[in-house]
Amino acid sequence: MKYSSRYTEMDREALMQAVQMRMSERRFKHVLGVEETAIALAERFGESPEKASIAALTHDYAKERSDEEFQLAIERGSYENKAELLKYGNAIWHGLVGADFVARELGITEAEILDAIRLHTTGAAEMTLLDKIIYVADYIEPGRKFPGVEDARVIAFSDLDQAVAFETKHTLSHLIEEEDPVYPKTLETYNRWVAGIQ
């Protein structure tokens, strides 16, 4: 894919290299799977494939950073409820805080792309088409193997809102089963997309 330089000064090859340098081979393979899926969903639902590609390639850019690096970024940044945010770990930080690493280090400042990175693990009550695409693509990319993933893939290409609901419901069930903390935004996503509270 040829980038227009509207969203990043880098071409796709340069962006891929910058991302690859920041992660393990396994993580990079996942990122490429998310990109492939995000582009297909963008083409299916009328979003810019270029924006989908950039958001997908950078969604896990900060995933393998140390907790210390995240904690420092949170303490120095302008995040709401810092004390609360610090209680959560990488699963939340790599999206929410990771978007700021992407902006600072890769020079990507398009708000819609950064928001899609921020929300890719938690979702939100209000989501743009790009937010939904990255949220769902991360869940159903070809490397994912878990019970129900094939159903999720079928749903994703027929109804993106239903795919958001499916993913959110299953993610929340998993967190409860594992007795993991649930980030408030995940509950907001559940209430809006699964329970239908507007």
Side-chain angles (χ1 to χ4, degrees), residues 63-116:
K63 178 79 174 174
E64 294 180 353
R65 307 275 175 122
S66 69
D67 284 357
E68 292 73 27
E69 197 171 349
F70 277 118
Q71 287 157 351
L72 194 61
I74 292 165
E75 283 157 11
R76 288 181 175 170
S78 55
Y79 300 96
E80 289 178 27
N81 306 325
K82 287 184 189 185
E84 188 64 26
L85 182 57
L86 284 165
K87 293 177 187 173
Y88 292 88
N90 182 290
I92 300 302
W93 297 338
H94 84 274
L96 189 62
V97 184
D100 296 325
F101 285 112
V102 169
R104 196 165 50 248
E105 296 174 13
L106 300 178
I108 294 167
T109 56
E110 172 71 25
E112 207 180 347
I113 290 172
L114 296 176
D115 283 342

Side-chain angles (χ1 to χ4, degrees), residues 4-21:
S4 66
S5 79
R6 206 175 310 157
Y7 311 111
T8 173
E9 293 302 308
M10 288 184 261
D11 62 19
R12 181 176 173 273
E13 195 60 42
L15 183 59
M16 275 174 41
Q17 285 174 1
V19 167
Q20 188 172 18
M21 282 168 50

Side-chain angles (χ1 to χ4, degrees), residues 127-137 160-161 164 193:
M127 295 171 80
T128 65
L129 179 56
L130 186 64
D131 294 338
K132 292 176 199 174
I133 285 169
I134 301 304
Y135 183 70
V136 171
L160 207 49
D161 289 359
V164 168
W193 299 98

